[in-house]
């Protein structure tokens, strides 16, 4: 670790780790603290735990910071790509209230649900993507091997060919030319750079994301998943005593939704001006939907925002499960039609 830090002073900021490692670490640390083990000894043990050996260098550095007088949350904040702002904030709350084990349990529960939601969304699009890649690969093989043989036969016949046959022969000629791939790659690079710049721009980025949310099948899954992730993070923050503005900021950051993240500043401003969370969400239903604002409105009237966020989390999570489970049935005829066209 010492050599790594000498080679790159910013190694902590660049360090990454799978979310599963952080979940495992959080659960083990909570168990050890609940058993009466002090923080330093617990971190020292976890740094040498065989199940967390790839994570050990990070835990060792966090433990080193705690031993030098730095708080646990401050030591974790040095690794922003491993311990998110929400994670660090919840640890700081646990330190200040003396309920560090409860904060760790809440974080573990949130990360497990968040990872499950994200993995289900990814798996939902893995099959369609695989089918498209296989179809395109087979099509290119036909253009490279089979069709050229027929082209030789047709050319030797010296007879007029149908339009469709001439189109296929023209596409085959293009597919066999290296210039086609160079030009295609150049066009893709230019389009990619342009889309990235539009995405990074706050104004055009949110418009692009809202456009993605309007895509059939894809949009509803992404929207319900992001709302479920927001509600999970916000419910945890509210339950552990964080103020509403910080809850909104952390929830939007955890949602993975570009539109929510851009809307967070305006959202926080309206709250500071005295407006309720549900009132703001009702004005931006294209981002927040209709169910979450209604649940929050009821929770605000009954002073039970946390339980209502938990209910919204469960409902949107169940909706994601339903859409993902039925995705293959919806996409199968579309994919078959697309492969037939190829």
């Amino acid at each position: 670790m010492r050599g790594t830090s000498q080679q790159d002073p910013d190694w902590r900021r660049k360090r990454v780790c799978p979310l599963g490692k952080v979940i495992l670490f959080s659960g083990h640390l909570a168990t050890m603290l609940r058993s009466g083990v002090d923080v330093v000894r617990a971190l020292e043990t976890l740094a040498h735990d065989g199940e967390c050996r790839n994570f050990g260098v990070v835990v060792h550095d966090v433990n080193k910071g705690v031993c030098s007088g730095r708080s646990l949350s401050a030591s974790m904040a040095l690794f922003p790509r491993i311990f998110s702002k929400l994670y660090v904030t919840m640890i700081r709350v646990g330190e200040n209230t003396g309920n560090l084990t409860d904060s760790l349990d809440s974080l573990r529960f949130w990360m497990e649900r968040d990872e499950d939601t994200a993995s289900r969304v990814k798996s939902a699009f893995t099959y369609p993507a695989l089918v498209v890649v296989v179809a395109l690969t087979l099509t290119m093989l036909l253009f490279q091997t089979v069709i050229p043989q027929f082209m030789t036969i047709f050319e030797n016949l010296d007879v007029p060919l149908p339009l469709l046959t001439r189109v296929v022969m023209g596409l085959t000629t293009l597919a066999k030319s290296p210039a086609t791939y160079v030009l295609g790659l150049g066009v893709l690079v230019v389009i990619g750079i342009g889309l990235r710049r539009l995405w990074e721009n706050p104004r055009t980025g949110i418009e692009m994301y809202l456009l993605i949310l309007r895509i059939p099948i894809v949009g509803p899954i992404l929207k319900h998943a992001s709302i479920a992730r927001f509600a999970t993070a916000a419910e945890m923050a509210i339950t552990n005593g964080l103020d509403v503005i910080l809850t909104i900021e952390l929830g939007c950051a955890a949602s993975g939704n570009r539109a929510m993240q851009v809307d967070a500043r305006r959202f926080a401003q309206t709250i500071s001006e005295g407006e309720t969370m549900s009132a703001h969400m009702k004005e931006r239903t294209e981002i927040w939907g209709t169910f979450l604002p209604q649940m929050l409105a009821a929770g605000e009237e009954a002073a039970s925002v946390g339980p209502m966020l938990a209910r919204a989390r469960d409902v949107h999570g169940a909706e994601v499960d339903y859409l993902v489970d039925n995705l293959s049935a919806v996409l199968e005829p579309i994919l078959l039609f697309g492969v037939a066209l190829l």
Side-chain angles (χ1 to χ4, degrees):
M1 184 187 68
R2 185 175 301 172
T4 304
S5 62
Q6 290 176 352
Q7 293 175 6
D8 188 355
D10 294 330
W11 72 273
R12 294 182 181 88
R13 292 187 173 275
K14 298 177 180 179
R15 196 80 175 188
V16 295
C17 181
L19 183 61
K21 295 284 187 180
V22 185
I23 295 174
L24 187 66
F25 164 78
S26 302
H28 285 178
L29 182 59
T31 300
M32 297 180 73
L33 294 178
R34 191 174 288 109
S35 301
V37 181
D38 62 85
V39 175
V40 173
R41 182 174 297 180
L43 291 174
E44 183 178 353
T45 301
L46 291 175
H48 298 89
D49 191 348
E51 295 182 359
C52 299
R53 59 182 180 274
N54 295 329
F55 191 45
V57 63
V58 175
V59 179
H60 177 76
D61 192 79
V62 170
N63 187 37
K64 184 178 178 182
V66 173
C67 291
S68 65
R70 192 185 299 129
S71 67
L72 179 62
S73 58
S75 300
M76 289 179 169
L78 298 176
F79 298 90
R81 300 184 68 179
I82 298 177
F83 302 107
S84 65
K85 186 175 181 179
L86 175 60
Y87 193 102
V88 173
T89 302
M90 290 301 302
I91 294 296
R92 185 179 299 117
V93 170
E95 291 173 328
N96 294 335
T97 60
N99 296 320
L100 185 57
T101 54
D102 293 340
S103 294
L104 286 167
D105 286 336
S106 298
L107 284 166
R108 180 178 58 82
F109 174 78
W110 165 68
M111 288 186 293
E112 286 176 345
R113 288 191 63 97
D114 189 67
E115 184 181 40
D116 180 68
T117 301
S119 63
R120 289 184 68 83
V121 172
K122 290 178 182 178
S123 63
F125 297 109
T126 299
Y127 172 70
L130 181 62
V131 171
V132 172
V133 169
V134 171
L136 290 176
T137 302
L138 292 176
T139 302
M140 293 306 300
L141 287 175
L142 288 174
F143 280 135
Q144 294 289 340
T145 58
V146 178
I147 297 180
Q149 298 179 13
F150 285 96
M151 287 178 60
T152 304
I153 297 174
F154 291 149
E155 290 173 354
N156 293 332
L157 291 177
D158 194 22
V159 295
L161 299 175
L163 176 62
L164 182 59
T165 303
R166 295 199 304 271
V167 170
V168 172
M169 292 175 64
L171 292 175
T172 303
T173 303
L174 290 175
K176 295 183 65 176
S177 173
T180 301
Y181 297 99
V182 174
L183 180 61
L185 181 61
V187 172
L188 290 176
V189 170
V190 172
I191 293 176
I193 294 175
L195 290 176
R196 182 176 180 180
R197 290 182 178 178
L198 291 174
W199 182 260
E200 292 175 348
N201 183 287
R203 178 176 299 180
T204 55
I206 190 173
E207 295 297 331
M208 289 178 64
Y209 195 89
L210 292 177
L211 183 62
I212 294 174
L213 294 182
R214 297 190 187 101
I215 299 176
I217 304 174
V218 177
I221 292 178
L222 294 178
K223 186 172 184 178
H224 285 293
S226 61
I227 294 176
R229 297 176 74 181
F230 170 86
T232 303
E235 186 269 335
M236 180 182 64
I238 287 286
T239 303
N240 285 272
L242 271 65
D243 63 84
V244 177
I245 294 180
L246 184 56
T247 295
I248 292 170
E249 178 185 347
L250 298 176
C252 291
S255 69
N257 186 318
R258 172 75 173 178
M260 289 184 184
Q261 293 167 357
V262 173
D263 189 52
R265 179 176 297 180
R266 180 184 173 189
F267 198 165
Q269 182 179 356
T270 57
I271 296 298
S272 64
E273 294 173 354
E275 190 173 327
T276 61
M277 294 175 65
S278 59
H280 174 83
M281 289 180 176
K282 288 178 181 178
E283 295 176 357
R284 306 298 301 274
T285 54
E286 72 277 11
I287 298 176
W288 301 100
T290 56
F291 182 76
L292 180 59
Q294 293 174 1
M295 295 296 292
L296 277 177
E300 289 164 349
E301 293 176 2
S304 58
V305 174
M308 289 302 178
L309 283 169
R311 174 62 178 162
R313 173 201 66 203
D314 294 338
V315 170
H316 284 285
E319 191 67 26
V320 171
D321 293 341
Y322 173 79
L323 291 172
V324 169
D325 291 339
N326 290 275
L327 184 63
S328 58
V330 175
L331 287 181
E332 191 168 314
I334 300 176
L335 292 174
L336 290 175
F337 179 74
V339 170
L341 289 179
L342 292 174

